[in-house]
Amino acid sequence: MRLLKLIPDNTNIGFVRIRHIAFAVTLLLTIAAVAIVGIRGLNMGVDFVGGVSIEEKFATTPHLDEVRSTVNRLGLGEATLQQLGGKNTVTIRMPLPESNDPGAVDQMVERVKTELASKFPGATFSNYSTVSGKVSDELIRNGVLAVVLAIVGIAIFSWLRYEWQFGVSTAVAILHDVLMTLGFFALTWMVFDLNIVAAVLTIIGYSINDKMVIDDRIRENMRKYRKMGMAELIDLSVNETLPRTVMTSLTILLALGSLLLFGGHVLRSFTAAMMLGVIVGTYSSIYVSSSLLITLGLKPGPREEKSSVASNAERVGPREG
Amino acid sequence: MLDFPRWKVLTISAFLAIMVLLAVPSFVPKTVRDTWPSWVPKPAINLGLDLAGGSYLLLEADTKDVAQSRLEQMREQVRSEMRRDPRVEVGDISIQGGKLSFMVRDPAKVDAAREKLLPLTTGVGTTGQRDWEIAVVDSTRFVLTPTGAGVNQAIETAMNDAREVVDRRINALGTLEPTVVREGSNRIVVQVPGLQDPTALKNLLGKTAKLAFHLVDTNANPADLARGIAPAGSIVLPYSETGSPIAVQRTAMITGDMLVNASQSYDPQSGAPGVTLQLDGAGSRRFAKVTQENSGKPFAIVVDNVVISAPRINEPILGGSAVINGGFTVESANQLAIALRSGKLPVALKVVQESTVSPELGADSIKAGITASVIAIVAVIAFMVLTYGRFGIYATFAVTLNVLVILAVMGMLTATLTLPGIAGFVLTIGTAVDANVLINERIREERRRGRSVTQSVELGYKEASRTIFEANVTHAIAGVIMLILGSGPVRGFAVVLLIGIASSVFTAVVFTRMLVSLWIRRNRPSEIHI
């Protein structure tokens, strides 16, 4: 049986050569992502801004404007609507009632439910949630803290295990992944809620997985080929691990793809975020974290050899062997 | 590599076999599981509310309340302690700025007062710190300051009691299977699967259910009452039946502590719903005495500082039971009875977060999750077998076992599977492959370098194991942070992720290595297709 080979043997793509262009593109994209988040903001779910979120399932696809005006006529505050999945499900988000009476939220939900049921026959509610402002502040704080701590923790691990350059380049790459994901959410206006924070943390986890594999190989090759130039060494390492990178990314994308298609609307944005993260994470492993090592001045072998001319003769080729 | 001793093979196989057996209950519906004999272990995964449908409430206690009531309690204790022989005359007892202060009238008795105060404080923890700090200023004024440790301990106790009260109240509602757990220092999470309308539950949990009987102060001037001013020794409370304020004596004649039971009942004459209260021995005697002495006067039944009803005492009440009638519906009477029966909440709780998911949506999500998982597994298997041949089949065994191990461990931890948990699950399937990919790619590389089959396999596992370790440790760092800082969905995801990391390393590295070495030992292949 002939086995499938996604990446032919002896693949030798010159990744590092175009790193300056890649840096520029990456930098521009990252700035764009930050700018979009800054200008548009994120479509925060009730988890983070506090409020009431009601999910209503309609018999047929409703006109959003009609639903909006129906809800707004109740005078309970400005409603934000979003169609989900099969278009028949609409999330209605509203601010918390100002009254301190604990029953006020129930009354509000009740009024919206009855009003919609009478205006749109066959409409049923499928879930609702309320988050108070105080809790939501805490959730934001913990979410941000979790992301920052994860980056710092991983960078420290990387630094202790390897040279400091690995720690820095990994942290920068992960930050890049996170910013790109945020930019994606600002751009698509998908709801950003607590689930998405979990997704972002997973992206960090996955991305770091990817980088560790390549970093580990770079490290190994640095010991093996003491005189090789850094750019060449990184190219070699990335190429050597390329079959694995492609295989793993593909299987994960397959798994996530099935979740995206069949996983129902509740998980859609969650899955989309992770898929994006896998792609961005794989890219940043090569063009941010690995290539950055050169910029940071990492050199193979002991320090006194830093001026030695890297010669190809030293390369006892694993490829040729 | 090749010397995989028999005991190792047996241990690994036995371990995995047990895990597979432990995973079985999670696939069996609960109704079937319940018919199994009780000695059969049946660890099963809980479905989170987003999958099972139901209500989630996050309750928060106002910890300032605890501190305040502790100060008030101390004030009463100081009052009664100083009155006992040898009496110490004190005055100007006041609570201000979170401190209690009072003055000893006779400066010679400061030491005596201190003697009396000391037993009122207790040590906290192991540091020898006490729960109150006693200081004397201007030689006659005592200032009692609650210490941080003391307050924390009081909050801790109050929250534990509150959790129990909440548990009792929900259980009294009927056939629900609630989980009530404390979260953080001042929160309680309540999850009730299947509950669609949490309104009644919230009403029930919102009641402190502090019960007290007070005599009504009939001397109050209606004009003063309207302005909220009560005669000396009395306080003004709202009266739920009429909506207007009413004055009652400050000191309660009976308090909720003397209550032994409360039940919903009907008034024999009017048939209106009410609540029957049953008092304990001391309470009954006290009640009999007070009702004898105050015949003809009204007394107020106060719940959570609201007068529920204020009947006139027609004759002494001797049996220790009293009936509250105050415009109840059957439901509200029942709620009050439950609240009173389950005891007073030591601290008021407020709902700060809630969500309700309909069972239909939950069922849809489960179906979608299972479909996605199955497709993911099939796709991954096909991909692996096509790429790595025999080694891909081994990897497939590993991934399948990995799934079962995760289910078994989650069942044993009675972990809750939530929707993000399913996503974590699917992702784990994807990443579980990674370890095998790393190993197989390494073996390929070593083969290309011209090493022998055995050597390649051996080196492949050795080199890849190091990388797998590095990668998984960092992945686990992210998981642990999620577990510590996360709440709700983030946590559920993190649990699955961490279990998945551990079990994928075991199945992908140890288990496949065993399969490969057994195969090589038996067949001594000179060439491998990988």
Side-chain angles (χ1 to χ4, degrees), chain A residues 39 63 67 98 121 134 158 214 291:
Chain A
I39 294 162
H63 281 290
V67 180
E98 270 161 38
K134 191 177 152 208
S158 216
I214 298 179
S291 301

Side-chain angles (χ1 to χ4, degrees), chain B residues 472-486:
Chain B
N472 281 299
V473 166
T474 44
H475 205 166
I477 291 178
V480 169
I481 289 169
M482 275 194 250
L483 194 64
I484 295 171
L485 281 179

Side-chain angles (χ1 to χ4, degrees), chain A residues 274-297:
Chain A
M274 289 211 285
M275 284 183 96
L276 178 87
V278 170
I279 296 164
V280 173
T282 309
Y283 167 82
S284 72
S285 299
I286 299 167
Y287 278 113
V288 184
S289 73
S290 300
S291 301
L292 204 59
L293 290 174
I294 307 174
T295 316
L296 291 174

Side-chain angles (χ1 to χ4, degrees), chain A:
Chain A
M1 187 172 78
R2 255 203 96 241
L3 295 177
L4 188 71
K5 242 180 211 159
L6 293 169
I7 304 292
D9 294 347
N10 300 321
T11 301
N12 195 358
I13 304 171
F15 288 107
V16 172
R17 211 175 13 191
I18 56 159
R19 70 174 186 281
H20 294 296
I21 304 168
F23 280 162
V25 174
T26 312
L27 198 64
L28 279 178
L29 277 174
T30 313
I31 290 170
V34 174
I36 291 179
V37 176
I39 294 162
R40 261 179 87 136
L42 290 162
N43 185 8
M44 297 274 201
V46 285
D47 294 356
F48 293 139
V49 286
V52 182
S53 154
I54 304 169
E55 206 175 290
E56 190 90 7
K57 206 170 174 177
F58 293 88
T60 53
T61 306
H63 281 290
L64 276 192
D65 289 339
E66 261 175 70
V67 180
R68 186 177 290 118
S69 62
T70 308
V71 177
N72 282 346
R73 227 172 320 173
L74 292 173
L76 298 168
E78 190 64 30
T80 317
L81 303 186
Q82 192 143 33
Q83 247 161 347
L84 297 171
K87 302 275 181 210
N88 287 0
T89 311
V90 177
T91 305
I92 302 158
R93 275 181 288 152
M94 306 178 75
L96 281 175
E98 270 161 38
S99 137
N100 269 331
D101 176 14
V105 175
D106 294 332
Q107 284 166 22
M108 171 170 167
V109 173
E110 203 49 51
R111 279 180 69 189
V112 173
K113 267 160 53 175
T114 353
E115 188 69 15
L116 287 174
S118 70
K119 264 272 157 55
F120 302 89
T124 50
F125 105 110
S126 50
N127 65 14
Y128 90 93
S129 56
T130 322
V131 183
S132 80
K134 191 177 152 208
V135 173
S136 65
D137 284 350
E138 231 178 79
L139 291 175
I140 292 186
R141 206 182 53 223
N142 281 352
V144 172
L145 198 62
V147 172
V148 171
L149 275 185
I151 295 180
V152 171
I154 287 161
I156 290 177
F157 176 83
S158 216
W159 166 54
L160 291 178
R161 295 282 303 172
Y162 307 112
E163 280 74 12
W164 64 268
Q165 284 95 339
F166 286 102
V168 173
S169 68
T170 308
V172 170
I174 293 173
L175 195 63
H176 159 262
D177 298 347
V178 172
L179 292 177
M180 292 301 268
T181 311
L182 292 183
F184 171 74
F185 271 87
L187 188 71
T188 56
W189 208 236
M190 288 201 287
V191 179
F192 192 89
D193 59 18
L194 208 52
N195 282 335
I196 306 304
V197 174
V200 170
L201 283 162
T202 317
I203 293 167
I204 295 180
Y206 171 76
S207 177
I208 193 68
N209 219 45
D210 207 43
K211 286 160 187 58
M212 279 299 145
V213 171
I214 298 179
D215 283 359
D216 189 61
R217 185 60 75 109
I218 293 176
R219 187 69 186 152
E220 189 186 324
N221 284 339
M222 274 169 61
R223 280 193 306 257
K224 230 188 229 166
Y225 312 111
R226 291 176 168 252
K227 303 228 166 124
M228 193 185 282
M230 202 59 209
E232 207 184 333
L233 195 139
I234 288 173
D235 262 349
L236 173 70
S237 308
V238 171
N239 275 300
E240 276 179 355
T241 48
L242 197 59
R244 173 262 160 201
T245 308
V246 172
M247 258 313 270
T248 300
S249 310
L250 269 180
T251 44
I252 292 178
L253 286 179
L254 267 177
L256 287 177
S258 74
L259 201 62
L260 188 73
L261 286 176
F262 307 102
H265 72 263
V266 188
L267 273 182
R268 190 144 293 154
S269 50
F270 184 80
T271 320
M274 289 211 285
M275 284 183 96
L276 178 87
V278 170
I279 296 164
V280 173
T282 309
Y283 167 82
S284 72
S285 299
I286 299 167
Y287 278 113
V288 184
S289 73
S290 300
S291 301
L292 204 59
L293 290 174
I294 307 174
T295 316
L296 291 174
L298 188 68
K299 294 270 190 319
R303 268 191 202 142
E304 54 270 26
E305 283 187 34
K306 63 184 167 209
S307 62
S308 73
V309 184
S311 90
N312 272 330
E314 281 289 324
R315 185 170 157 181
V316 187
R319 299 291 173 205
E320 291 84 2

